[in-house]
Amino acid sequence: MSTNELTTSSAAEVNDKAHEPHTRKPQRRGIGKAQRREAIMLVIPSLIPVIIFSMAPLLIGIFMAFTDSTLKRNHDAQFVGFDNFTRLLSDTYFWDSFRIGMIWAFSVTALQLLAGMGLALLLNSNLKFQGLTRLLALLPWAMPPVVVAIMWKMIYSPTSGPLNAVLGSLGLPDNINWLGDFSTALPAVIVVGVWVGMPQTTITLLAGMQQIPAELNEAAEMDGANAWLKFRSITMPSLKPIIASITSLNFIWNFNSFGLVYVMTEGGPGGKTMLPMLFTYIEAFKNRNLGYAAAMGDVLVLVVVALLAVYLWTQFKGDKIK
């Protein structure tokens, strides 16, 4: 084969390769569109329940906040603009419940973290019957909130509760009305909230601890570090992203609490345990002011969205640092 023929064949191959992507692009583009259509068709069945049971009630609630809707018979709802929100600004009972809700959420979240960290450290050590202890640690989380509330109401009973019986056997006051006294009702409910939510915090932290390489602790022990130094210099830095995530989620969940407190105290005594979600429920279904309750709900949704934004920001910041 001559040099000219080689040159000609090489040029032809180059031209074929140069034109090859142009001929394949439409095919790839077509495959991409088909994949997107297939993905959309797979997602739609899961989106339908979200739209029906989440988005639709939310949009209805937002619209209802601008009306005077009630549960009274033969009442035609009228558009009232921002009247419900203007009334809400001067409603001291709502803002008192909001303050109590923040105290509840901060207290329960902080105590859940402390108690969960201690229990996770204990479960991460070489205990006997480790599987059984972890199962027992999950027990409060597995119980329905209504059952938990009834059980703790019995424990807190001023006349027949085991808590007062134990205090009496120790020579301490045994006639305390834990859920009926202004000074003890909120702390008593906070204890129950911590007990219920502690397992999920414990298991999350325990999973994070088990991801820490054992070589780090072994090297620290060889350097003479005690348990506190290992916890401060190895465990805590490794768990920082997990702590930020679980704390943010716990705060949102605790702020939205309703069933536990409703069964235990119904917001009493004297509104000392009146959480904002509970106050909104009472305004809607006992006082029958749906429009005004919807305005409260909108405000609480904004608070939860703000908290969720903080959570997502911490997650994004942590991923960016990595």
Side-chain angles (χ1 to χ4, degrees):
M1 186 181 289
S2 64
T3 306
N4 291 334
E5 290 176 347
L6 286 172
T7 306
T8 305
S9 63
S10 300
E13 288 178 2
V14 170
N15 287 332
D16 289 341
K17 289 181 179 179
H19 289 291
E20 195 174 18
H22 297 288
T23 57
R24 289 183 180 180
K25 273 185 179 179
Q27 185 179 0
R28 289 178 181 176
R29 196 176 294 121
I31 293 173
K33 287 182 179 179
Q35 290 177 341
R36 283 195 293 271
R37 283 196 298 267
E38 184 179 354
I40 292 171
M41 295 302 295
L42 291 173
V43 169
I44 285 176
S46 62
L47 286 179
I48 291 175
V50 174
I51 294 172
I52 295 175
F53 298 110
S54 295
M55 294 302 298
L58 177 62
L59 295 175
I60 293 171
I62 292 172
F63 172 76
M64 196 179 294
F66 297 93
T67 68
D68 61 349
S69 300
T70 68
L71 285 177
K72 298 175 183 178
R73 291 182 179 179
N74 302 324
H75 176 78
D76 294 329
Q78 301 294 326
F79 184 80
V80 296
F82 290 92
D83 288 357
N84 288 325
F85 295 96
T86 304
R87 176 185 169 190
L88 191 60
L89 289 175
S90 58
D91 191 339
T92 57
Y93 293 107
F94 173 75
W95 295 112
D96 281 344
S97 73
F98 188 85
R99 176 183 58 82
I100 293 169
M102 295 300 287
I103 293 172
W104 155 272
F106 273 112
S107 302
V108 173
T109 302
L111 292 173
Q112 280 175 350
L113 179 62
L114 292 175
M117 181 68 75
L119 187 55
L121 288 170
L122 183 64
L123 294 176
N124 197 42
S125 59
N126 294 324
L127 294 174
K128 290 184 178 180
F129 309 109
Q130 199 172 62
L132 179 61
T133 55
R134 291 180 181 179
L135 180 63
L136 293 175
L138 279 173
L139 187 60
W141 195 22
M143 297 174 65
V146 175
V147 175
V148 172
I150 294 173
M151 181 185 73
W152 277 92
K153 279 185 75 173
M154 296 171 63
I155 293 173
Y156 283 140
S157 175
T159 56
S160 58
L163 180 58
N164 277 344
V166 171
L167 293 176
S169 65
L170 297 174
L172 299 173
D174 60 353
N175 58 347
I176 302 174
N177 189 358
W178 293 98
L179 298 177
D181 189 274
F182 284 8
S183 60
T184 60
L186 184 58
V189 173
I190 287 173
V191 168
V192 181
V194 174
W195 187 81
V196 171
M198 184 176 63
Q200 64 187 24
T201 305
T202 300
I203 296 302
T204 305
L205 294 175
L206 178 61
M209 290 178 187
Q210 293 181 340
Q211 298 302 314
I212 300 173
E215 293 80 4
L216 294 178
N217 286 313
E218 292 173 359
E221 289 176 359
M222 292 178 64
D223 292 337
N226 56 23
W228 167 247
L229 286 175
K230 288 192 295 182
F231 174 76
R232 190 181 66 181
S233 58
I234 297 175
T235 305
M236 279 301 292
S238 302
L239 292 180
K240 273 186 179 180
I242 297 175
I243 291 173
S245 300
I246 194 63
T247 302
S248 303
L249 291 175
N250 279 345
F251 189 88
I252 294 172
W253 290 330
N254 292 327
F255 185 78
N256 283 324
S257 294
F258 170 77
L260 186 70
V261 179
Y262 178 75
V263 175
M264 291 185 70
T265 64
E266 295 188 15
K272 292 297 181 181
T273 60
M274 184 67 72
L275 303 183
M277 297 298 177
L278 180 53
F279 187 81
T280 304
Y281 168 81
I282 291 174
E283 189 65 32
F285 297 104
K286 289 192 175 181
N287 298 337
R288 300 188 175 187
N289 295 323
L290 289 181
Y292 188 47
M296 295 180 188
D298 290 351
V299 172
L300 296 178
V301 166
L302 291 176
V303 173
V304 172
V305 168
L307 295 173
L308 186 60
V310 172
Y311 164 68
L312 293 176
W313 178 78
T314 56
Q315 290 292 100
F316 175 77
K317 186 179 178 182
D319 293 340
K320 195 173 181 180
I321 290 174
K322 291 178 182 179

